[in-house]
Amino acid sequence: MPKTLITGGTIVTAADMYKADVLIDGEKIAAIGTGLKVAGAKRIDASRMYVIPGGIDVHTHMELPFGGTMASDDFETGTTAAAFGGTTTIVDFAVQGFGEPLETARDLWLKKARGKAVVDYGLHMIVRDVSDQVLREMETMVGDGISSFKLFMAYPGVFMVDDAAIFKALVRSAEIGGLICMHAENGGVIDVLVKKALAAKHTEPKWHALTRPPEAEGEATGRAFALAEMAGGVPLYIVHLSAAQALEQVRLFRDRGLPAYAETCPQYLFLSYDNYEEPGFDGAKYVMSPPLREKWHQDELWKGLQRNDLQVVSTDHCPFCMKEGFRGLPKQKELGRGDFSKIPNGAPGVETRMALLFDGGVAQGRITASRWVELTATTPAKIMGLFPRKGTLAVGSDADIVLWDPKATQTLSAKTHHMRVDYNPYEGRKVKGRATTVLSRGEVIVADGKFLGKTGRGKFLKRGRPILQR
Ligand code: URP
Ligand code: ZN
Ligand code: ZN
């Protein structure tokens, strides 16, 4: 591969913002400096652009089987959309089948991704039954670079595990250098509320939210951290945190010096319960778990991001179409018409994360550009064992680089997005900032609105131990 020189841009990392050129040799960053001159190098002009490390989305579900259907993006369509949005690494969730070895899920997800992904990808493992055998297999997974395990405190009979199982897995994660990621909602209470609502003939999508109160998330979050403390002060990472009550628990445990971490997602920063009141069945677009909350939670989440009680913004990208037959896909959200509890849980977002957070965060003065990079690339790379290969611009790091135009505006829409789903939760929203050129390991894969990469070029990332900072 010839050398590439990115000239005249403003480098933005989690630590700094300065004008410099970046030299790429093969797949790696070879030099960063001013006035770099390299004979024969291909030049990319980055004047007026921010030059940032490619975004890292550590929470995606490509082709996730859920509620009798599958998430509509596969590794090809989903990672292509990610690239268009400025994300060059994803970490997706493999799912253990009941009673099956973790190796089976690992192999199945590698098969789904190989030959399809266009950006690099890692895997977490969703553990559904915490047997002695599985506790042993967790070590093999860590050795294979699948160093994080998601457990669910919700979805009884589908994903939920009990406190004893969580406790055992936490203890084991500390022994083997893995990280437990928790879906924290009180599934038992929610189940009772769902049954009660259905018995009262409440079937519309909004009842998904009304039966999953924020207190159920707060309680489960506090319980999860208490279990981690009892396990000896084990690190714990809460996924898709949506509610002030849950954030309060994160803050409490962090203030006590415990290794408590959490991510939130754009949907919880920009959408709210009001979306469930959209006419007809449109509220189904926003059926996800945890659900969207009342608007006032958003301010609390922004405070959490500003004060580092929330360290990561991921997407929980898990799209399901509203209409049957879109690009040949089967019935998805429609499965729950007439019964909100049958609406597949999840929404699209892998393409829109970087722009939404830039617009709502940097452009509106809530966070700095460096904090934006830290939340969307650097800390995700550190916590998920990818740093410094990914997540920063440094000599020796992978040349995953995005040229970001901070002045450009774009209108988010299903008409123009690349995700394989027939709606966009942010339809019509005008946002500032856009990825104009995207490089993955030195190769330009998106430029001027065109995809230039090759299907299947993405590589599996063997992740290392988490780097956990306060
Ligand atoms: O609604 C959601 N979040 N769907 C994906 C599965 C999960 O819990 O992350
Ligand atoms: Zn979850
Ligand atoms: Zn998820």
Side-chain angles (χ1 to χ4, degrees):
M1 219 196 279
K3 291 180 180 167
T4 303
L5 191 58
I6 301 175
T7 58
T10 300
I11 308 264
V12 185
T13 67
D16 297 299
M17 219 170 143
Y18 57 98
K19 283 222 174 246
D21 306 330
V22 182
L23 176 65
I24 300 165
D25 189 355
E27 298 193 339
K28 303 279 181 189
I29 296 175
I32 300 175
T34 45
L36 294 182
K37 284 192 180 55
V38 182
K42 180 180 129 187
R43 267 176 79 108
I44 299 177
D45 178 17
S47 314
R48 296 179 300 281
M49 297 288 163
Y50 286 172
V51 180
I52 60 167
I56 301 182
D57 186 349
V58 296
H59 192 147
T60 68
H61 300 280
M62 306 304 171
E63 270 187 65
L64 175 78
F66 195 107
T69 185
M70 288 258 196
S72 58
D73 263 322
D74 63 15
F75 274 84
E76 182 175 1
T77 59
T79 56
T80 303
F84 272 105
T87 288
T88 54
T89 301
I90 63 162
V91 186
D92 203 81
F93 288 84
V95 185
Q96 179 206 15
F98 271 120
E100 274 182 11
L102 301 183
E103 281 86 346
T104 308
R106 173 200 61 198
D107 293 348
L108 181 61
W109 252 260
L110 288 175
K111 206 166 140 208
K112 285 180 198 247
R114 255 190 218 126
K116 281 192 154 183
V118 308
V119 301
D120 293 348
Y121 57 94
L123 293 177
H124 312 274
M125 180 62 66
I126 289 177
V127 178
R128 296 166 91 184
D129 73 289
V130 187
S131 64
D132 289 347
Q133 175 65 20
V134 165
L135 288 167
R136 281 191 290 276
E137 287 167 10
M138 283 169 69
E139 190 166 21
T140 314
M141 290 300 114
V142 172
D144 289 349
I146 301 174
S147 47
S148 42
F149 304 90
K150 183 175 176 187
L151 301 177
F152 285 79
M153 301 169 94
Y155 302 119
V158 184
F159 288 122
M160 187 169 131
V161 291
D162 64 17
D163 289 354
I166 293 169
F167 183 73
K168 285 185 206 168
L170 283 163
V171 171
R172 185 70 176 139
S173 72
E175 288 166 2
I176 60 177
L179 179 68
I180 299 297
C181 303
M182 191 65 76
H183 179 129
E185 285 185 293
N186 186 319
V189 168
I190 288 167
D191 220 30
V192 173
L193 295 175
V194 168
K195 287 194 177 109
K196 207 170 145 198
L198 289 173
K201 307 250 180 311
H202 298 311
T203 59
E204 311 95 300
K206 69 177 180 186
W207 285 93
H208 173 76
L210 296 172
T211 55
R212 301 183 93 92
E215 291 79 10
E217 189 183 344
E219 183 280 328
T221 303
R223 179 158 42 98
F225 284 131
L227 292 166
E229 188 170 20
M230 284 188 265
V234 173
L236 178 63
Y237 179 86
I238 303 293
V239 293
H240 49 46
L241 186 144
S242 73
Q245 289 86 338
L247 178 59
E248 200 179 311
Q249 294 300 317
V250 180
R251 197 176 300 125
L252 199 81
F253 280 85
R254 284 177 69 79
D255 287 352
R256 285 175 43 206
L258 288 152
Y261 302 91
E263 63 178 25
T264 189
C265 309
Q267 52 269 33
Y268 304 121
L269 295 165
F270 298 104
L271 303 173
S272 73
Y273 172 80
D274 296 349
N275 292 96
Y276 294 114
E277 300 280 0
E278 288 178 16
F281 188 59
D282 275 6
K285 293 175 181 171
Y286 314 97
V287 167
M288 62 186 81
S289 295
L292 301 177
R293 304 300 185 187
E294 285 172 12
K295 250 195 169 82
W296 65 268
H297 290 261
Q298 294 174 359
D299 290 340
E300 295 303 310
L301 297 182
W302 280 110
K303 274 186 224 155
L305 292 172
Q306 287 159 343
R307 296 173 188 172
N308 206 37
D309 287 317
L310 297 170
Q311 301 82 33
V312 171
V313 176
S314 68
T315 62
D316 196 8
H317 175 77
C318 190
F320 297 101
C321 292
M322 285 294 284
K323 290 190 193 68
E324 189 173 357
F326 176 75
R327 293 221 231 158
L329 290 161
K331 210 180 235 193
Q332 300 196 315
K333 292 285 187 186
E334 275 290 332
L335 288 166
R337 197 181 273 277
D339 179 351
F340 70 88
S341 72
K342 294 197 168 64
I343 301 171
N345 285 200
V350 76
E351 188 170 353
T352 47
R353 176 185 68 135
M354 299 294 288
L356 281 165
L357 203 70
F358 184 84
D359 181 59
V362 184
Q364 295 195 30
R366 289 183 172 114
I367 55 172
T368 64
S370 282
R371 181 65 176 153
W372 170 63
V373 167
E374 189 170 37
L375 290 165
T376 54
T378 313
T379 304
K382 287 182 177 171
I383 293 184
M384 294 306 165
L386 291 165
F387 190 84
R389 178 172 172 192
K390 307 283 191 191
T392 193
L393 299 178
V395 173
S397 294
D398 280 358
D400 291 0
I401 301 175
V402 173
L403 269 56
W404 186 268
D405 185 343
K407 296 253 160 64
T409 52
Q410 54 174 317
T411 303
L412 307 180
S413 172
K415 290 190 199 95
T416 48
H417 74 204
H418 301 84
M419 300 177 282
R420 186 164 63 184
V421 62
D422 61 352
Y423 74 98
N424 189 310
Y426 309 95
E427 188 64 39
R429 184 185 285 251
K430 218 171 168 191
V431 292
K432 215 166 191 186
R434 165 175 220 128
T436 59
T437 305
V438 178
L439 293 91
S440 164
R441 278 181 283 103
E443 192 186 330
V444 176
I445 59 169
V446 172
D448 303 321
K450 287 198 184 60
F451 183 70
L452 306 173
K454 272 206 186 73
T455 304
R457 62 167 299 288
K459 284 189 184 159
F460 172 65
L461 297 165
K462 267 184 91 164
R463 295 184 291 120
R465 286 177 178 245
I467 300 171
L468 299 170
Q469 294 168 323
R470 290 296 301 157

